[in-house]
Amino acid sequence: TILPLIITLFILPNLPDNLIMHFNLAGEADRIGNKNELIILPLINILLGILLPILPNKNPSASFFNKYSVEFTLVLINIICYIMLFIPYKNINNKSIFFNFDLINVFWTSLCLLLVLIGNYLPKIRSNSIIGIRTKWTLSNHDTWYKTHKFSGKLFVICGIVFAPVCFFTSSK
């Protein structure tokens, strides 16, 4: 969790004062900010690294989180690291180091792979009020919860596998 802060502090002096901080779905810049804003994400990363293993213990009904807190912590920290590295890299040069693939394609592809990961966990989630597909019907009946999450897990995995190559090889321009 500290490595992204070290990397950010290392590259910060080499960046211009104003950076593009947000991109729309087409990969076009829609917000410019100060380069010092980049420090916020590594600090959030460190905070998550500290809080995510502790918070599930404060809620006794969160047995799923107690069982999978390490996995959730790693997934969230990796997502934040990816976003953190995307902003400076996109500002330094508008091309990707991945064999001239557009970085926005890599981003959407990794989101598809995240769908596959989530889809594998959905059927394993027990009924709870924190995570999952929480509707009045799924929370009131164990069988409904199980069938909903089993179907949704398969759907997430299929969509992630189908759309990952599409996102990777389709031009975003």
Side-chain angles (χ1 to χ4, degrees):
T1 58
I2 295 173
L3 184 62
L5 180 64
I6 294 169
I7 292 170
T8 303
L9 292 174
F10 180 74
I11 66 169
L12 205 58
N14 300 324
L15 295 174
D17 288 336
N18 292 321
L19 296 175
I20 300 168
M21 300 304 275
H22 191 266
F23 301 90
N24 62 19
L25 294 177
E28 301 161 345
D30 61 1
R31 186 174 88 76
I32 295 176
N34 190 302
K35 70 178 180 181
N36 294 325
E37 290 180 44
L38 289 178
I39 295 175
I40 294 171
L41 284 174
L43 294 178
I44 292 172
N45 203 24
I46 292 170
L47 186 65
L48 282 174
I50 293 168
L51 291 179
L52 283 175
I54 295 170
L55 288 179
N57 297 328
K58 302 294 182 192
N59 184 355
S61 68
S63 61
F64 176 78
F65 276 120
N66 291 334
K67 189 175 180 183
Y68 295 106
S69 64
V70 173
E71 288 90 348
F72 280 116
T73 304
L74 291 174
V75 167
L76 282 173
I77 288 172
N78 281 318
I79 291 170
I80 289 175
C81 287
Y82 187 81
I83 293 169
M84 237 172 34
L85 295 174
F86 178 77
I87 292 171
Y89 185 77
K90 189 79 173 169
N91 278 281
I92 291 171
N93 77 11
N94 209 11
K95 292 189 177 181
S96 173
I97 57 173
F98 303 107
F99 309 105
N100 287 330
F101 288 118
D102 192 2
L103 194 57
I104 198 75
N105 291 21
V106 176
F107 176 75
W108 288 117
T109 304
S110 40
L111 284 180
C112 291
L113 297 177
L114 182 63
L115 278 178
V116 173
L117 180 73
I118 292 170
N120 280 313
Y121 275 112
L122 273 178
K124 299 171 187 157
I125 299 173
R126 293 193 178 171
S127 181
N128 67 79
S129 60
I130 299 172
I131 189 168
I133 301 168
R134 303 172 324 270
T135 65
K136 184 170 79 173
W137 299 279
T138 58
L139 291 172
S140 65
N141 185 315
H142 175 71
D143 289 334
T144 306
W145 176 276
Y146 174 74
K147 288 177 182 178
T148 301
H149 284 79
K150 186 177 179 182
F151 175 76
S152 300
K154 288 178 183 177
L155 196 61
F156 274 48
V157 170
I158 290 168
C159 288
I161 290 171
V162 168
F163 288 113
V166 172
C167 290
F168 192 72
F169 292 110
T170 304
S171 175
S172 62
K173 294 176 181 157

